[in-house]
Amino acid sequence: MRFIALGSADVAGGFNSWRMWWMLAKNDVARRYRRSRIGQLWLTLSMAVTVLGMGLVYSLLFNTPIASYLPHVGVGLVLWGMIAGIMTESCLSFTENENIMRQIALPRFTYLLRTIARNLLVFGHNLIILPIVFVACGTAINANMFLFLPGLLLVLANLAWVGYLLAILSARFRDIPQIIQSLIQVAFFVSPVVFKPSQLPPNHPVLILNPFASMLDVMREPLLGHLPSLTAYAILLGLLIVGWLVSLAFAGKYSHRVVYWL
């Protein structure tokens, strides 16, 4: 319990330092496209080209009408970009802030929140694409869309504890970022990003044992006007409770050593 309390104090301190991580996150996005003529619009244009290209190709491969498939793959790619970005960049949350950590005593969770906020800003840029896709394809809009926000918060809460663990482990073992990046690439193909869950039998292991499938379900289905499955909510809630207990205990015991591993 002592280690969980220490980890909880660090997380709370990170949220209290919101001015710091929010300022750094905004600066990260702005700096990436500094001196570019269209600036951060490149984020949206790049994702739009990817959505259109993959939508056209995979609709032909799956023999599916483009009007019904493009919203599915568009939402899937935008959401996957956020999930994959947070997962891979969380590994570097401490190592890329080495200079700051050596000079200023901030809660370590602050640097993870910087990573999450940066990816949420990119996600916000990419969300602009979806209304255009929905209008072009005639996607119905209903009250189920309001379930997107709680689904997003549930996913972010899970990504936060995973990212916290990965950040600590990556500071000690520098091969972990490459391992996670490779696993994310494999996860893309076994998760229902470009294919529809309905193309698999009900309760298929890819849908039940793959937490990324549940994350996509609770966010994508509301945006498409459907109700997410209760199974996906149950899986993510279970992971949330167990994962945070493990992450807080691990952080309480080892996170203070991070500065010596950098």
Side-chain angles (χ1 to χ4, degrees):
M1 291 299 293
R2 181 171 68 89
F3 293 132
I4 293 179
L6 290 173
S8 300
D10 186 67
V11 171
F15 280 107
N16 288 334
S17 305
W18 66 270
R19 292 179 180 85
M20 175 66 76
W21 53 260
W22 180 244
M23 178 195 66
L24 291 172
K26 290 192 297 182
N27 183 65
D28 289 341
V29 177
R31 185 177 55 187
R32 185 180 303 178
Y33 295 96
R34 186 171 295 165
R35 298 184 182 275
S36 171
R37 287 187 178 273
I38 60 175
Q40 299 169 23
L41 186 59
W42 277 116
L43 294 169
T44 306
L45 290 176
S46 176
M47 179 59 72
V49 171
T50 303
V51 168
L52 182 59
M54 294 190 69
L56 292 173
V57 171
Y58 280 92
S59 65
L60 294 174
L61 290 176
F62 294 146
N63 194 26
T64 304
I66 186 67
S68 64
Y69 181 72
L70 190 60
H72 170 85
V73 74
V75 176
L77 288 173
V78 169
L79 295 176
W80 183 261
M82 179 196 68
I83 294 171
I86 292 176
M87 288 281 291
T88 55
E89 293 181 21
S90 290
C91 297
L92 305 176
S93 291
F94 294 153
T95 55
E96 72 178 3
N97 290 287
E98 176 181 353
N99 292 333
I100 301 177
M101 295 185 71
R102 288 182 180 275
Q103 299 179 51
I104 304 175
L106 288 173
R108 287 164 289 276
F109 197 70
T110 302
Y111 306 105
L112 178 66
L113 289 173
R114 174 187 183 179
T115 300
I116 294 174
R118 179 173 67 229
N119 280 276
L120 282 177
L121 288 172
V122 174
F123 176 62
H125 284 84
N126 292 335
L127 273 180
I128 301 172
I129 302 168
L130 300 185
I132 300 173
V133 172
F134 293 163
V135 171
C137 297
T139 303
I141 298 176
N142 57 42
N144 290 334
M145 285 191 169
F146 291 107
L147 293 174
F148 167 71
L149 185 57
L152 174 63
L153 294 176
L154 181 58
V155 169
L156 290 176
N158 273 286
L159 291 175
W161 71 258
V162 174
Y164 202 16
L165 279 177
L166 291 177
I168 297 171
L169 290 171
S170 297
R172 178 64 179 86
F173 305 103
R174 298 305 173 92
D175 292 327
I176 291 208
Q178 287 73 28
I179 295 173
I180 295 300
Q181 188 171 6
S182 298
L183 291 176
I184 290 294
Q185 290 175 349
V186 174
F188 174 82
F189 294 103
V190 298
S191 301
V193 180
V194 296
F195 65 86
K196 294 184 177 182
S198 58
Q199 294 175 279
L200 298 175
N203 297 325
H204 192 279
V206 167
L207 303 178
I208 301 299
L209 302 180
N210 182 359
F212 295 116
S214 298
M215 292 181 182
L216 290 170
D217 188 285
V218 299
M219 293 189 294
R220 178 167 55 193
E221 293 306 309
L223 289 177
L224 296 177
H226 307 144
L227 287 173
S229 70
L230 294 177
T231 302
Y233 282 120
I235 290 172
L236 292 180
L237 286 172
L239 289 174
L240 182 68
I241 296 170
V242 176
W244 268 111
L245 289 175
V246 173
S247 181
L248 291 175
F250 187 82
K253 186 173 183 179
Y254 295 107
S255 66
H256 66 282
R257 304 183 187 179
V258 167
V259 70
Y260 302 106
W261 295 336
L262 296 176

